[in-house]
Amino acid sequence: MKRWVFSVLLIVFLAGCGSGKFQVPKQEYQTQVQVLGVLPLLVDYNSSMNYPQKDNLFDILARSANGKHEFLVEQLKKKKGYFDVRPLPANPELTALSLLGAGSPHDELGWPQGYAFDAATVAEIARTNVLDAVLVVVFSGEQVEETRRSRTKLETLRTQYSDIRATAAVIDRNGQVLWQLAGTESFQALVLQYADFDEAYFNRTDLVRVKDINLSGIERALDESPGKDGASLLPKMYENLFSEIASGISPSLLDSLR
């Protein structure tokens, strides 16, 4: 009896794990999406945020992201949830211009709610590459209101902070979003600002200033190693992002039990 209860709880727990939200029933997703195409990682240069060197920052991010979608393809293939997963040969800048033109709505706290993707562009990509659906991952600059703690965890400051956040979506050939990672679940790819609690402490003031991380710090963050045993070809940020996406959209036997 105990073993049976444990097995049921394990199935419920594992089936509930995974990032993002399906916009259709999972069984329908599994049936509909057998061949998935993965676009190069896109950077939304038109997103707005409070950072003094925004264009330079986006250039650094675009260079860093170049070709990384092939690692995401490999992670998805290892999950064995699709008949085929293909990296798509596309120009990231031109694709972003045509696909993201309608922008992304935000909630009152600044969280990105996902893009209104151009259906004609998605249809053309799916038709040209013979796909059931397309996976799109977008980096954008955001100003999100939230509470952050000091390194000692003793002080907090709630205000707007600038971040680079990643949203993702699986879109079928008709332009319907089947799965989405957005809102409060959007992935914090880069922290661009920090609250200087130490400055306030040593100046004996309650005024805590929010400061920008410089571009050199951003580049080091993009290159940061996962810190695992053995050499990894993928920096920590990308590894964490791809793990979230792969766990979110890899159908399994457990999902069909929900």
Side-chain angles (χ1 to χ4, degrees), residues 191-204:
V191 175
L192 301 180
Q193 295 179 319
Y194 64 97
D196 196 341
F197 294 102
D198 287 340
E199 178 192 51
Y201 172 80
F202 285 108
N203 282 303
R204 290 159 175 77

Side-chain angles (χ1 to χ4, degrees), residues 18-22 179-182 185 244 248:
S19 301
K21 292 183 175 63
F22 285 93
W179 172 91
Q180 186 168 250
L181 179 72
E185 286 193 293
E244 283 205 20

Side-chain angles (χ1 to χ4, degrees), residues 214-226:
N214 61 37
L215 292 179
S216 297
I218 297 299
E219 290 182 300
R220 286 191 288 269
L222 285 170
D223 291 336
E224 185 178 1
S225 168

Side-chain angles (χ1 to χ4, degrees), residues 199-242:
E199 178 192 51
Y201 172 80
F202 285 108
N203 282 303
R204 290 159 175 77
T205 177
D206 293 329
L207 177 63
V208 179
R209 294 198 296 171
V210 175
K211 296 183 176 180
D212 298 314
I213 297 172
N214 61 37
L215 292 179
S216 297
I218 297 299
E219 290 182 300
R220 286 191 288 269
L222 285 170
D223 291 336
E224 185 178 1
S225 168
K228 295 181 178 179
D229 294 335
S232 174
L233 297 176
L234 199 58
K236 179 179 179 180
M237 184 273 283
Y238 294 102
E239 184 168 280
N240 291 341
L241 171 60
F242 294 168

